[in-house]
Amino acid sequence: MEGKMWAAVLHAPGDLVYEQVDIPVPGENDVLIRVKACGVCGSDIPRVLTTGTYHFPTIPGHEFGGTVVETGKNVDPAWKGRHAAVIPLIPCRTCRACERGAFAQCEHYDFLGSRSDGGFAEYVKVPKDNLVFLPEGMNPETAAFLEPVSVALHVIQNNQVHFGDDVAVFGLGAIGIFVAQWAKAFGARHVFAVDLDPQKTEIAKKIGLTDAICGSKEDALRVILEKTGQEGVDAAFEASGSGAAFNQALAILKAEGRLGLVGRPAGSLEIRNEGFEKILRKQLTIRGTWSFEFKRFPHHAWELALSALNEGKILTEPLISHRLPLEKTMDAVRIMADKSEFFHKILIEP
Ligand SMILES: [Zn+2]
Ligand SMILES: [Zn+2]
């Protein structure tokens, strides 16, 4: 498909321009996707405003999906017209990390939306192996959620949530609220979803996280202790990047408890002395999670995420605070940077 398309193009940190560029030409093993929706990720804020992409100009946006409109020579032409989510990570498949299926640790990866052009555009060129087709009847907009839902699944799998566990999640941005929903889907008894923002805790309650706690109105630790017979939780997740939440998560864990970290740090972290001591005495495990998995064995994480979305075990619709056209991409970034109005998940719909 020759011609021009509209895109939000990053020319330098802070310089995101809505402009016309050439429609990308798919290679032999690629497809061309007409983007239906692309989520704005928390990581897009520094990427667009301060740190930049790996080179310029680049089109950011890595949480997206849409419709296959063109297929390369080695791709089944019958794929045309199908709706798919896009896995933005393109691993080299030859380095040591890739050999063991740890694609998120690839040493020479490409990434749509930071190293190559991504989803804040009408069209994106995508390798055929990076598509996850949506089942018949699923809203194609949902494709934009597959990436954060898969990241959240990775967090749960790295830290293991078992049937009957009590769980606390600090920070109810997109990743945190998906971690909380996954914890429920994995059979947790109580899922204490904690956020300082009353609107976010209300949304959490509405989607079935009935133990959600607004940390600015209630003493979260006291409530959790009350509801767990003063025991605390088996697993805690820090999804806000705040040092205060990190210390709260440590404080609320049982002996042998597991602390999963996924929130990008808002600053340096000071661990209080009693927390430091507790890590030793109570033999706590602290584990970080980066990105998502997508090796095929034993389960393709994105396929699991898709099933959970399709079966309604993970809900996305109530999390959408804004649907904005492509020309408003910079406005979306500003809303998230300045916190000038309430936002949860902002979707760009080119
Ligand atoms: Zn992201
Ligand atoms: Zn690799």
Side-chain angles (χ1 to χ4, degrees), residues 100-263:
R100 58 186 173 88
F103 296 125
Q105 302 296 326
C106 173
E107 291 157 32
H108 315 287
Y109 66 93
D110 193 357
F111 199 87
L112 303 176
S114 70
R115 298 184 179 209
S116 291
D117 287 339
F120 296 147
E122 290 180 288
Y123 297 94
V124 186
K125 179 179 81 170
V126 177
K128 66 176 170 54
D129 293 336
N130 285 58
L131 298 182
V132 177
F133 288 110
L134 303 190
E136 208 56 48
M138 184 186 256
N139 181 354
E141 185 184 73
T142 308
F145 286 95
L146 258 283
E147 198 264 0
V149 171
S150 299
V151 171
L153 174 60
H154 195 194
V155 175
I156 292 285
Q157 292 187 321
N158 272 348
N159 296 281
Q160 311 211 344
V161 170
H162 307 292
F163 184 82
D165 278 354
D166 288 326
V167 170
V169 180
F170 294 88
L172 301 181
I175 300 294
I177 200 139
F178 290 137
V179 167
Q181 292 189 72
W182 273 121
K184 256 193 89 185
F186 273 71
R189 184 176 64 153
H190 289 295
V191 178
F192 302 102
V194 185
D195 200 282
L196 295 175
D197 186 330
Q199 264 177 283
K200 285 191 180 163
T201 39
E202 268 320 300
I203 291 169
K205 282 183 184 163
K206 241 183 255 164
I207 60 174
L209 297 163
T210 48
D211 286 309
I213 302 167
C214 178
S216 57
K217 290 185 180 167
E218 285 181 284
D219 179 346
L221 299 192
R222 195 180 48 77
V223 174
I224 295 171
L225 285 172
E226 258 169 34
K227 290 196 179 170
T228 57
Q230 305 300 316
E231 290 262 335
V233 298
D234 303 278
F237 297 95
E238 204 306 291
S240 73
S242 123
F246 180 97
N247 280 299
Q248 282 195 309
L250 273 187
I252 204 63
L253 279 172
K254 283 182 191 170
E256 312 279 342
R258 306 175 298 279
L259 171 56
L261 302 181
V262 65

Side-chain angles (χ1 to χ4, degrees), residues 8 14 16-18 40 45 48-49 120 322-343 346-348:
L16 187 72
V17 184
Y18 175 66
V40 186
I45 308 315
V48 168
L49 293 179
F120 296 147
H322 298 68
R323 288 181 178 85
L324 297 176
L326 192 51
E327 61 264 39
K328 295 264 171 78
T329 307
M330 193 58 181
D331 295 357
V333 170
R334 286 221 184 82
I335 290 170
M336 290 174 68
D338 310 343
K339 302 184 168 61
S340 50
E341 58 188 89
F342 176 78
F343 68 90
I346 302 182
L347 294 183
I348 302 298

